[in-house]
């Protein structure tokens, strides 16, 4: 999501005659887009700011700006604590950037952090940088108001709002015409996407169909689905279109009913498993991935075992696994105790990681011998002689280069695997 936001910032600034450089020694302004989701994300930014002091000593005119969630969360406090920061801009204030840069004087500090109920940057055509020219993100909504007890997002990104579907389809079409072959529609809870218009409402299943209709050669992915809102209707639309990828990211967070309640996730393990059954029913070859938090407030050994049990039942293809980090202003911070000792959190996280590693390997082994349509994304990081791409299930497949090029679709038969990668041969 931050990547997509940086592309919007790039568009806003290049329209005002600024140019983007990847070479930090060429830059007059350094903009750091930030995440506030866990404490370690913020600590990394603090470290980066410290490292940039050496550069600023040599090139004293260089100004540093902090963008995004950390700017929103810390506002003026950040400028007081970090003396080399000149401006901070929250996620809904990027349009103010050109004006700020034009008017900021040496030694001055500026901040724009007002959140909006309506800003979606719908009219802005993001500048795609640092991409493979094949896959792109499209932001379809902003903000979140689910208020999961552990989560800082509702406080840093404001209320949920959806973007005009026509502008989304237009962006997808333009990307396709430029040679892109895959778009990922982004939102904190895409299932609650809704656009009201005189001609009727557009919900997420309809939006998916509209984007999939742009061209059968354009793959469509999405993230993230909140389990409480994942509808059968969406699964039916996914089944209808070959170019809607068969991969669902369904963050579980915990396998314990008690924990889910404390987290304010608004589903039970039973409901979650019912959604997994629905996915398997409509989309038998769909991969399922998740997010999980180890060591949330009050988590007992029994709760942790319930999470491991959930992993055994669902058999995820991939998981993003985190240790709970208490975030300021959240419900948890105000009303709960961060009472699971760090060593226990670490041990529980390691147990989840180890189990997931075994499951991913077993899942991948089942793919050996199968043939998948792969969208080629680029040259393999390991060898110049190999290309890599993904199948519909979002699994990375590596294979010999031959005379193929990124952006092409090829059929690849899987011959070997690791827990993270499939290795295959192109079918002639
Ligand atoms: N909107 C998405 C999640 C976005 S945040 C959803 O609801 O699924 C991405 C992930 O970060 C979350 O799914 C959660 O697993 C993790 N996360 C969020 N807050 C956290 C915290 N305080 N400590 C640890 N992990 C956290
Ligand atoms: Fe955070 Fe919950 Fe919103 Fe996801 S749904 S962004 S976890 S508050």
């Amino acid at each position: 999501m931050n990547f997509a936001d940086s592309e919007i910032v790039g568009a806003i600034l290049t329209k005002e005659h600024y140019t983007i450089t990847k070479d930090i020694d060429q830059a007059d302004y350094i903009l750091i887009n930030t995440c506030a989701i866990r404490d370690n994300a913020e600590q990394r930014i603090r470290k980066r700011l410290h490292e940039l002091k050496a550069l600023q000593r040599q090139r004293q005119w260089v100004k540093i700006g902090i963008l995004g969630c950390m700017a929103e969360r810390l506002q003026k406090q950040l400028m007081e604590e970090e003396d080399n920061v000149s401006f901070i801009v929250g996620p809904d204030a990027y349009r103010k950037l050109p004006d700020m840069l034009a008017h900021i004087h040496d030694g001055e500090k500026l901040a724009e952090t007002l959140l909006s109920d309506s800003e979606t940057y719908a009219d802005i055509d993001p500048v795609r940088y640092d991409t493979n020219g094949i896959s792109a993100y499209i932001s379809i909504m902003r903000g979140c108001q689910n208020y999961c007890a552990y989560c800082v997002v509702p406080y840093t990104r404001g209320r949920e709002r959806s973007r005009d579907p026509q502008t989304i389809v237009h962006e997808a079409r333009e990307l396709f015409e430029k040679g892109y072959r895959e778009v990922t529609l982004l939102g904190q809870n895409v299932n609650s996407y809704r656009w009201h218009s005189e001609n009727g409402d557009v919900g997420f299943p309809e939006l998916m169909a509209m984007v999939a209709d742009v061209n059968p050669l354009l793959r469509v992915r999405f993230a993230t689905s909140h389990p409480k809102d994942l509808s059968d209707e969406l699964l039916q639309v996914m089944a209808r279109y070959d170019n809607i990828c068969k991969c669902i990211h369904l963050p579980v967070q915990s396998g314990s009913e008690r924990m889910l309640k404390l987290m304010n996730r608004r589903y039970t393990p039973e409901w979650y498993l019912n959604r997994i059954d629905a996915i398997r029913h409509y989309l038998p070859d769909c991969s399922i991935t998740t997010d999980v938090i180890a060591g949330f407030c009050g988590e007992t050994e029994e709760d942790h075992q319930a999470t491991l049990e959930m992993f055994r039942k669902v058999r995820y293809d991939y998981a993003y696994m985190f240790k709970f980090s208490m975030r300021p202003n959240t419900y948890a911070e105000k009303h709960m105790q961060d009472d699971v000792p760090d060593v226990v959190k670490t041990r529980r996280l390691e147990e989840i990681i180890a189990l997931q590693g075994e499951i991913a390997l077993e899942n991948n082994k089942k793919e050996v011998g199968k043939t998948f349509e792969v969208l080629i994304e680029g040259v393999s990081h390991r060898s110049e002689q190999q290309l890599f791409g993904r199948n519909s299930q979002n699994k990375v497949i590596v294979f010999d280069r031959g005379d193929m090029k990124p952006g092409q679709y090829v059929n690849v038969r899987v011959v070997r695997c690791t827990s993270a990668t499939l290795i295959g041969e192109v079918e002639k």
Side-chain angles (χ1 to χ4, degrees), residues 37-38 150-151 188 224 226 251 253 265 291-293 322-325 327:
I37 198 90
R38 282 169 294 276
Y150 51 80
C151 185
Q188 293 296 352
T224 295
H226 194 304
Q253 313 300 3
R265 285 293 283 179
D291 293 347
V292 68
I293 299 176
F322 307 108
K323 212 158 63 163
F324 171 61
S325 156
R327 305 306 289 131

Side-chain angles (χ1 to χ4, degrees), residues 299-316:
E299 188 187 71
T300 63
E301 216 44 46
E302 203 181 317
D303 296 317
H304 169 58
Q305 288 303 325
T307 296
L308 294 174
E309 193 49 34
M310 179 63 93
F311 271 59
R312 285 188 203 101
K313 280 190 183 141
V314 180
R315 304 188 61 75
Y316 297 107

Side-chain angles (χ1 to χ4, degrees), residues 9-20 28-29 98 101 127:
V9 171
I12 290 172
L13 286 172
T14 46
K15 205 162 159 237
E16 299 295 330
H17 315 296
Y18 289 89
T19 45
I20 297 168
D28 298 316
Y29 298 96
L101 297 195
V127 169

Side-chain angles (χ1 to χ4, degrees), residues 1 36-39 144 146 148-153 187-190 223-227 249-253 265 267 290-294 296 320-327 330:
M1 209 156 274
I37 198 90
R38 282 169 294 276
D39 186 57
C144 179
N146 283 309
C148 299
Y150 51 80
C151 185
V152 78
V153 170
Q188 293 296 352
N189 175 10
V190 289
T224 295
S225 275
H226 194 304
H249 185 60
L250 202 64
V252 66
Q253 313 300 3
R265 285 293 283 179
Y267 54 83
T290 202
D291 293 347
V292 68
I293 299 176
F296 183 60
Y320 296 92
M321 298 162 276
F322 307 108
K323 212 158 63 163
F324 171 61
S325 156
M326 184 65 101
R327 305 306 289 131
T330 56

Side-chain angles (χ1 to χ4, degrees), residues 17-197:
H17 315 296
Y18 289 89
T19 45
I20 297 168
T21 174
K22 279 191 187 173
D23 179 0
I24 203 160
D25 293 323
Q26 296 288 318
D28 298 316
Y29 298 96
I30 300 171
L31 310 187
I32 308 179
N33 200 354
T34 59
C35 172
I37 198 90
R38 282 169 294 276
D39 186 57
N40 60 3
E42 291 196 356
Q43 292 315 322
R44 281 210 300 273
I45 298 297
R46 301 269 194 180
K47 194 159 157 261
R48 180 82 57 88
L49 282 172
H50 189 75
E51 288 161 4
L52 285 171
K53 285 189 175 166
L55 180 146
Q56 278 179 309
R57 271 194 294 275
Q58 284 177 359
R59 304 171 66 230
Q60 287 171 6
W61 66 91
V62 171
K63 291 193 172 55
I64 297 180
I66 298 288
L67 315 182
C69 290
M70 205 175 154
E72 191 66 47
R73 190 178 91 65
L74 294 168
Q75 308 200 358
K76 298 217 168 70
Q77 187 190 332
L78 192 63
M79 294 210 290
E80 281 159 22
E81 289 166 3
E82 304 290 346
D83 54 9
N84 59 334
V85 172
S86 300
F87 51 99
I88 65 169
V89 189
D92 287 346
Y94 297 145
R95 289 182 203 266
K96 298 254 166 73
L97 258 168
D99 202 42
M100 289 173 85
L101 297 195
H103 293 105
I104 192 164
H105 298 296
D106 284 351
E108 201 183 13
K109 288 173 180 274
L110 297 178
E112 287 287 352
T113 52
L114 207 62
L115 287 171
S116 153
D117 281 352
S118 57
E119 178 64 274
T120 58
Y121 300 108
D123 56 315
I124 289 178
D125 201 5
V127 169
R128 310 287 169 181
Y129 48 93
D130 221 7
T131 83
N132 57 9
I134 310 297
S135 319
Y137 293 114
I138 301 183
S139 180
I140 63 162
M141 56 205 292
R142 297 181 74 82
C144 179
Q145 59 218 39
N146 283 309
Y147 292 99
C148 299
Y150 51 80
C151 185
V152 78
V153 170
Y155 308 93
T156 60
R157 299 187 75 90
R159 291 184 74 75
E160 184 182 279
R161 65 219 99 120
S162 298
R163 174 180 168 188
D164 182 338
Q166 297 306 335
T167 67
I168 297 170
V169 171
H170 175 77
E171 193 172 326
R173 195 170 288 131
E174 291 224 314
L175 284 164
F176 184 78
E177 280 160 14
K178 286 184 187 142
Y180 284 82
R181 291 293 174 266
E182 183 178 270
V183 292
T184 303
L185 308 188
L186 293 179
Q188 293 296 352
N189 175 10
V190 289
N191 303 115
S192 65
Y193 174 90
R194 186 147 288 274
W195 180 258
H196 304 286
S197 83

